[in-house]
Amino acid sequence: MATFPKDFLWGAATAAYQVEGAHDAEGKGPSIWDTFSHLPGTTYNGTNGDVAVDHYHRFREDVALMAELGLKSYRFSISWPRLLPEGRGTINEAGVTFYSALIDALLEHGIEPMITLYHWDLPQALQDQGGWESRQTIDAFEEYARLCYERYGDRVKLWSTFNETLCFIGFGYITGAHPPGIRDPARALQACHHVFIAHARAVAAFRQCAIAGKIGFVNVLQTHTPLDDTPANVAACQLADGIFTHWLYDPVLRGEYPIELLHLAQSSLGAPVFDPGDEALLRDNVCDFIGLNYYKRETVAANHGESRLQINTTGQKGSAHQAGNEFGFKDLFKFVRNPNGVYTDWDWEIYPQGLTEGIMQIKERYGDIPIYITENGLGAKDPIIDGEVVDDDRIDYLRQHIDAVADAIVQGADVRGYYPWSFIDLLSWLNGFQKQYGFVYVDHQRQLARQRKKSFFWYQQLIRHHGE
Ligand code: BGP
């Protein structure tokens, strides 16, 4: 019997800001990433998505490559300020038409579109009015979601509301490395709560509009393991699970926060504050499916030192784990090097088994929820030999992780699709263009010419044989 279900979706993923470019074309409004990336010192070597890989103008060429690759599905995000330059109100029809044409091109090639409504590029106009800390952004998100359902709901069946609260709230409001660059845990919790409410409202609207499809949420899946079995490190690891996983999955899959952590947060930080009706909204609008973005596991130890919130954005191996430099929160936990681990140049542990373990942990806590692996991939500086991009390490990485998905399916998990990150080399938020993930190489010295990598042909064969 074949491991992967007959209609399993072999896909690939991208996000608007990282591929589209055309940052001010045809009526698009600025997003917080347009503003932030233009501030000195915010990104790797000042890179930004002004042009990115110009997918906005080259999407037909890119979709033709997706078809050649044999993709069954393509996950992409919509740029909110391209549709609604002010975040709400006036509609930019040129933006609406762009995604409509993209969807049609995908469908013509038999590629199922999977839309992410929010992959971090909030309209700057909404940030100026408080961003996710303001409940008005919840109303604006519902308006934006309804516009997308109205214009694309006749053709698109797979939708997710948000991508990775852990990253855009964590980096945006705790470490300050992403816009809006705030460092305040209480404000982070309140902003995050508003995201959950915006999600619930968008799910309710989806069901009201009777869209013939499914709607979910995409989260980071990061497995944690204690450095050793000392009680302090085991407790630190449980806390990391609670904050990085349960806090972010429970509200969208169970319709409530993990209660002990909620009480702890409210008593120590005074957040999140609920409005009347919030509890019912969460309870009544849980997801149809969950999207999991898996890259790495973290080894966890108790942290008796100060908070350190830097990550490796240079690709200089080992820098994240130098003594005293480890990412961690004072008195809570820190992420340390696993002495037996295999790491990428960005100090991300390569641990395929963690994908099986993580999927099974989700199944155990949340029951038989349909699962899509919405991101998974290797960030690397790919070797070029005689003009060919020979990304053997990426092939090894993906092969092992696809095996890990197969193991989870054999163990009874309902995994319905796998979307490597990324379809094409694109802008990494803080790491510029040097951290490559794609099946397709983009030559920045030759007018962004596309070139198939070795992994392209490998994945093409894998899809042809349905992963067997
Ligand atoms: C996820 C994001 C993606 C992508 C990926 C790789 O967190 O959803 O947008 O960027 O990580 O991350 P990075 O580019 O930092 O290596």
Side-chain angles (χ1 to χ4, degrees):
M1 221 174 71
T3 311
F4 293 96
K6 203 168 107 313
D7 47 4
F8 190 83
L9 294 177
W10 295 102
T14 66
Y17 182 71
Q18 298 178 275
V19 289
E20 286 178 4
H23 71 111
D24 59 358
E26 299 185 294
K28 177 181 169 293
S31 78
I32 54 174
W33 270 94
D34 292 314
T35 310
F36 183 79
S37 63
H38 285 126
L39 301 173
T42 52
T43 64
Y44 178 76
N45 282 351
T47 38
N48 63 50
D50 287 4
V51 178
V53 295
D54 202 26
H55 175 70
Y56 186 77
H57 295 110
R58 296 176 188 233
F59 75 93
R60 290 190 192 281
E61 180 188 352
D62 291 340
V63 172
L65 282 165
M66 291 175 205
E68 186 185 327
L69 180 55
L71 291 191
K72 307 283 182 214
S73 184
Y74 172 53
R75 172 177 181 245
F76 62 96
S77 77
I78 293 180
S79 158
W80 182 350
R82 201 180 284 294
L83 260 48
L84 294 161
E86 297 293 320
R88 58 190 313 176
T90 311
I91 297 168
N92 176 33
E93 288 297 338
V96 175
T97 303
F98 166 69
Y99 295 106
S100 203
L102 171 63
I103 291 163
D104 287 344
L106 291 167
L107 292 173
E108 275 162 27
H109 289 287
I111 302 171
E112 182 94 54
M114 178 191 260
I115 285 179
T116 310
L117 288 173
Y118 187 83
H119 204 125
W120 309 350
D121 44 357
L122 184 75
Q124 181 63 45
L126 294 178
Q127 185 60 48
D128 295 342
Q129 295 158 42
W132 287 112
E133 290 178 79
S134 162
R135 291 192 72 103
Q136 286 177 30
T137 302
I138 301 172
D139 299 335
F141 185 73
E142 183 183 338
E143 183 181 325
Y144 160 61
R146 282 181 183 273
L147 173 65
C148 294
Y149 304 154
E150 193 184 296
R151 301 301 183 95
Y152 312 129
D154 56 337
R155 288 161 289 162
V156 178
K157 300 196 192 86
L158 286 172
W159 298 76
S160 33
T161 52
F162 288 89
N163 181 71
E164 296 187 351
T165 18
L166 178 63
C167 287
F168 78 91
I169 296 293
F171 290 131
Y173 293 86
I174 295 179
T175 77
H178 280 197
I182 289 162
R183 296 182 186 186
D184 185 329
R187 289 170 69 183
L189 292 182
Q190 196 60 42
C192 190
H193 180 68
H194 294 159
V195 169
F196 292 141
I197 299 302
H199 162 78
R201 291 260 298 268
V203 170
F206 188 83
R207 290 174 183 155
Q208 265 169 25
C209 295
I211 305 294
K214 301 286 180 202
I215 189 153
F217 196 96
V218 172
N219 260 328
V220 173
L221 177 70
Q222 177 170 282
T223 47
H224 303 109
T225 195
L227 177 62
D228 53 34
D229 56 8
T230 57
N233 289 342
V234 171
C237 188
Q238 283 167 353
L239 200 55
D241 270 341
I243 295 172
F244 277 38
T245 307
H246 306 156
W247 188 272
L248 303 170
Y249 283 75
D250 284 16
V252 300
L253 291 180
R254 285 183 166 172
E256 60 186 16
Y257 284 90
I259 195 72
E260 282 175 21
L261 275 182
L262 180 65
H263 289 156
L264 187 67
Q266 289 177 328
S267 60
S268 58
L269 295 168
V273 176
F274 281 56
D275 261 20
D278 283 1
E279 271 181 33
L281 267 169
L282 290 180
R283 196 185 54 230
D284 297 343
N285 294 290
V286 294
C287 293
D288 294 327
F289 68 85
I290 188 77
L292 307 178
N293 292 353
Y294 179 80
Y295 290 89
K296 60 178 162 76
R297 102 169 142 176
E298 291 288 359
T299 299
V300 186
N303 185 20
H304 307 296
E306 291 302 309
S307 293
R308 293 259 171 205
L309 304 176
Q310 299 294 328
I311 57 166
N312 174 347
T313 56
T314 59
Q316 278 171 15
K317 202 169 180 162
S319 57
H321 295 120
Q322 278 158 9
N325 205 26
E326 294 140 328
F327 184 95
F329 300 100
K330 189 174 188 299
D331 298 330
L332 299 178
F333 54 81
K334 63 181 174 183
F335 296 148
V336 298
R337 193 170 198 87
N338 168 11
N340 306 312
V342 177
Y343 284 84
T344 72
D345 287 345
W346 278 263
D347 298 320
W348 292 18
E349 188 187 5
I350 301 176
Y351 183 63
Q353 207 186 319
L355 180 51
T356 316
E357 292 166 5
I359 292 170
M360 299 318 291
Q361 285 163 12
I362 296 296
K363 180 173 158 62
E364 193 181 316
R365 190 170 173 95
Y366 303 107
D368 287 324
I369 180 89
I371 292 171
Y372 293 85
I373 307 305
T374 33
E375 286 180 31
N376 174 235
L378 175 72
K381 297 168 198 162
D382 296 336
I384 301 186
I385 303 172
D386 296 334
E388 298 297 319
V389 185
V390 189
D391 54 343
D392 287 315
D393 291 349
R394 175 161 304 105
I395 294 172
D396 284 348
Y397 181 101
L398 294 175
R399 180 190 286 123
Q400 292 175 44
H401 285 80
I402 290 168
D403 282 348
V405 175
D407 286 348
I409 293 174
V410 168
Q411 290 176 41
D414 183 5
V415 187
R416 300 189 178 186
Y418 175 77
Y419 297 75
W421 183 268
S422 51
F423 166 64
I424 191 166
D425 282 351
L426 39 68
L427 175 72
S428 168
W429 305 92
L430 298 179
N431 307 280
F433 294 98
Q434 60 155 357
K435 194 177 187 187
Q436 298 164 266
Y437 280 97
F439 294 115
V440 176
Y441 169 67
V442 177
D443 192 338
H444 289 257
Q445 312 310 319
R446 286 197 306 129
Q447 289 88 44
L448 306 177
R450 275 56 172 155
Q451 184 179 333
R452 298 158 189 79
K453 298 185 191 176
K454 189 171 175 186
S455 61
F456 182 99
F457 300 105
W458 171 82
Y459 195 48
Q460 187 183 52
Q461 286 304 313
L462 181 123
I463 296 175
R464 236 171 239 166
H465 296 109
H466 204 52
E468 302 302 329

